[in-house]
């Protein structure tokens, strides 16, 4: 996810369609869940959290009591955190050393850790996959070696401090590749990307043979695009353990479409599916001068309110669960409006937060009392 991505902003809400009422009747309402159909990965991407805490942010539970935000999230069902890794970001956050520290804190609280490799110094998403500055000018062969070395180094460092990753994500929303232009899929040629993904996979397995590897796209909206991508990498011999998707309803369409895509991908590739990112606004208002990534757009007939945010998240979880997915991660629930924790790592003090209406904590740091992560 990149909250300032022009690709995301151009996504249409037309897929929300005229048959929505019938769709919600099938997929939106809570339903009994069998033991065999459980969300075992109930996650929160808290990559921005350390910066907020360093700036003095306070977090409050539903009763108004100040508590550690990870403890609050655990109390409402979270059992996994997702941490993005940038190579050498200008902000000094989300780099290797910060991620090591965050992983120690999370594991000490009994939370599992998913490491999200962007292979960039900044945001990577469907609209941009910038190489780290240190890798600019490297050949494809060099980039394969870079991916292996960086992946193994971060993973081994986590293992060395007693917090080996519980899962690893090779690339972030790589709909048409990563490490552009060398790793971009052009004219249906997946070979360059495949070589990079194989190195990330092998580095992870060399670090810990039992660590599951995710490959993540934002293709929840299009089964055709998802098949094109995952068929393409499979045809090149790429291995992965979990198929990961982003799903934001205002960009990725109906819950019925999400359901059908999960079912198809599970059957087609024989691998578990995880929603690695989702979120919904609790207000249309904006806390700062930075335009919100999602402003007036809502979907499924659900209002941008605390109760609406909780309802949409419930429906996404229900849809994923009923389709047989094994996990859902909320993207940046703790990134509320804290001055100095801006979206641009090159100007973190001078930019605002485009996600301040999407967090599950309001602008004073109080948690939405209705939001729950449920098995």
């Amino acid at each position: 996810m990149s909250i300032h991505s022009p690709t995301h902003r151009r996504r249409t809400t037309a897929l929300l369609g005229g048959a929505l009422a019938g769709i919600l009747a099938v997929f939106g309402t809570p339903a009994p869940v069998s033991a065999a159909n459980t969300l075992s990965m109930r996650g929160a991407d808290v990559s921005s959290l350390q910066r907020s805490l360093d700036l003095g942010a306070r977090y409050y539970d539903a009763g108004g009591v100040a508590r550690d935000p990870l403890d609050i999230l655990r109390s409402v069902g979270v059992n996994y955190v997702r941490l993005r890794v940038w190579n050498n970001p200008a902000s000094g956050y989300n780099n290797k050393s910060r991620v090591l520290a965050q992983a120690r804190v999370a594991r000490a609280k009994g939370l599992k850790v998913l490491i999200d490799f962007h292979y960039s110094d900044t945001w990577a998403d469907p609209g941009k996959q910038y190489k780290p500055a240190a890798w600019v000018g490297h050949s494809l062969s060099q980039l394969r070696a870079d991916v292996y070395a960086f992946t193994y180094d971060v993973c081994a460092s986590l293992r060395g401090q007693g917090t080996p990753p519980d899962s690893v994500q090779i690339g972030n929303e790589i709909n048409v590749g990563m490490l552009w232009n060398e790793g971009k899929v052009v004219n249906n040629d997946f070979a360059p990307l495949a070589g990079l993904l194989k190195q990330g996979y092998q580095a992870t397995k060399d670090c810990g043979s039992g660590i599951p590897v995710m490959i993540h796209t934002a293709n929840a909206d299009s089964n055709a695009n998802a098949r094109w991508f995952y068929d393409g990498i499979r045809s090149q011999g790429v291995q992965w353990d979990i198929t990961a998707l982003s799903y934001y309803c205002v960009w990725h369409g109906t819950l019925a479409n999400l359901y059908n895509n999960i079912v198809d991908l599970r059957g087609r590739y024989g691998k578990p599916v995880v929603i690695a990112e989702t979120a919904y606004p609790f207000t249309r208002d904006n806390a700062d001068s930075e335009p919100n990534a999602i402003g007036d757009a809502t979907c499924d007939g659900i209002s941008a309110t605390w109760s609406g945010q909780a309802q949409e998240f419930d429906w996404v979880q229900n849809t994923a669960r009923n389709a047989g997915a094994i996990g859902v991660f909320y993207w940046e629930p703790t990134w509320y409006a804290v001055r100095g924790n801006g979206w641009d790592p090159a100007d973190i003090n001078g930019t605002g937060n485009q996600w301040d209406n999407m967090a599950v904590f309001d602008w004073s740091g109080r948690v939405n009392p209705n939001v729950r992560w449920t098995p």
Side-chain angles (χ1 to χ4, degrees):
M1 172 64 183
S2 174
I3 58 178
H4 54 288
S5 165
T7 298
H8 280 314
R9 285 181 176 174
R10 288 196 298 267
R11 290 192 185 273
T12 177
T13 59
L15 290 172
L16 297 178
L20 189 54
I23 291 165
L24 297 183
V26 176
F27 300 116
T29 53
V33 179
S34 68
N37 202 27
T38 298
L39 298 178
S40 58
M41 301 176 76
R42 301 181 299 280
D45 188 313
V46 293
S47 298
S48 70
L49 177 57
Q50 189 56 55
R51 173 70 175 179
S52 293
L53 293 171
D54 289 348
L55 292 168
R58 302 289 298 277
Y59 292 84
Y60 303 89
D61 63 20
V65 177
R67 295 174 60 193
D68 184 293
L70 293 181
D71 290 336
I72 296 172
L73 290 174
R74 283 190 65 207
S75 74
V76 294
V78 169
N79 68 353
Y80 235 108
V81 297
R82 180 176 185 248
L83 302 174
R84 65 176 166 268
V85 184
W86 288 334
N87 289 48
N88 187 26
S91 65
Y93 285 82
N94 303 122
N95 58 17
K96 173 186 163 183
S97 64
R98 296 283 186 175
V99 166
L100 289 172
Q102 285 182 284
R104 288 195 299 270
V105 171
R107 289 289 289 274
K109 292 183 177 295
L111 295 164
K112 294 184 177 182
V113 176
L114 164 60
I115 300 298
D116 173 14
F117 285 96
H118 282 224
Y119 303 114
S120 181
D121 296 332
T122 187
W123 302 102
D125 61 45
K128 56 189 174 297
Q129 297 278 333
Y130 303 128
K131 287 190 290 289
W135 299 0
V136 170
H138 286 196
S139 67
L140 183 60
S141 176
Q142 288 174 303
L143 289 172
R144 288 195 293 266
D146 292 333
V147 168
Y148 183 96
F150 185 72
T151 306
Y152 185 83
D153 177 54
V154 172
C155 184
S157 297
L158 286 161
R159 183 188 63 195
Q161 69 173 13
T163 62
D166 297 285
S167 51
V168 162
Q169 184 182 307
I170 304 300
N172 191 76
E173 294 188 330
I174 56 171
N175 292 30
V176 289
M178 64 187 195
L179 292 168
W180 292 355
N181 285 320
E182 288 77 4
K184 191 171 187 176
V185 180
V186 179
N187 295 327
N188 298 313
D189 181 7
F190 282 86
L193 172 62
L196 299 170
L197 294 176
K198 289 176 182 178
Q199 291 302 305
Y201 182 90
Q202 190 61 52
T204 303
K205 298 301 182 178
D206 287 347
C207 174
S209 60
I211 300 172
V213 172
M214 297 184 186
I215 294 185
H216 173 217
T217 68
N219 281 327
D221 58 330
S222 171
N223 184 247
N225 289 348
R227 283 185 171 199
W228 172 82
F229 178 87
Y230 291 104
D231 280 0
I233 62 172
R234 183 174 63 175
S235 71
Q236 293 292 324
V238 173
Q239 299 180 70
W240 73 100
D241 304 309
I242 298 173
T243 303
L245 304 171
S246 294
Y247 176 74
Y248 300 93
C249 63
V250 299
W251 295 320
H252 296 128
T254 64
L255 293 167
N257 190 58
L258 174 64
Y259 176 93
N260 291 333
N261 208 6
I262 292 171
V263 170
D264 181 73
L265 297 179
R266 283 179 57 230
R268 190 173 184 85
Y269 305 110
K271 304 178 190 303
V273 174
V274 163
I275 304 303
E277 297 184 18
T278 194
Y280 197 75
F282 69 85
T283 180
R284 296 172 184 264
D285 295 335
N286 185 12
D288 57 29
S289 60
E290 197 73 43
N292 290 334
I294 296 175
D296 293 334
T298 56
C299 49
D300 297 339
I302 297 177
S303 61
T305 60
W306 266 11
S307 61
Q309 181 184 64
Q311 183 178 13
E312 177 66 23
F313 187 46
D314 281 347
W315 286 5
V316 171
Q317 290 181 92
N318 290 344
T319 301
R321 182 187 299 110
N322 293 338
I326 64 167
V328 174
F329 285 72
Y330 196 104
W331 197 76
E332 290 283 12
T334 61
W335 198 6
Y336 77 89
V338 178
R339 184 179 296 274
N341 195 4
W343 63 263
D344 185 355
D347 187 15
I348 197 168
N349 287 301
T351 50
N353 177 358
Q354 296 181 8
W355 210 245
D356 54 53
N357 68 325
M358 302 290 287
V360 302
F361 293 83
D362 69 12
W363 301 340
S364 65
R366 185 165 178 174
V367 73
N368 183 337
N370 308 304
V371 167
R372 295 288 185 276
W373 282 254
T374 54

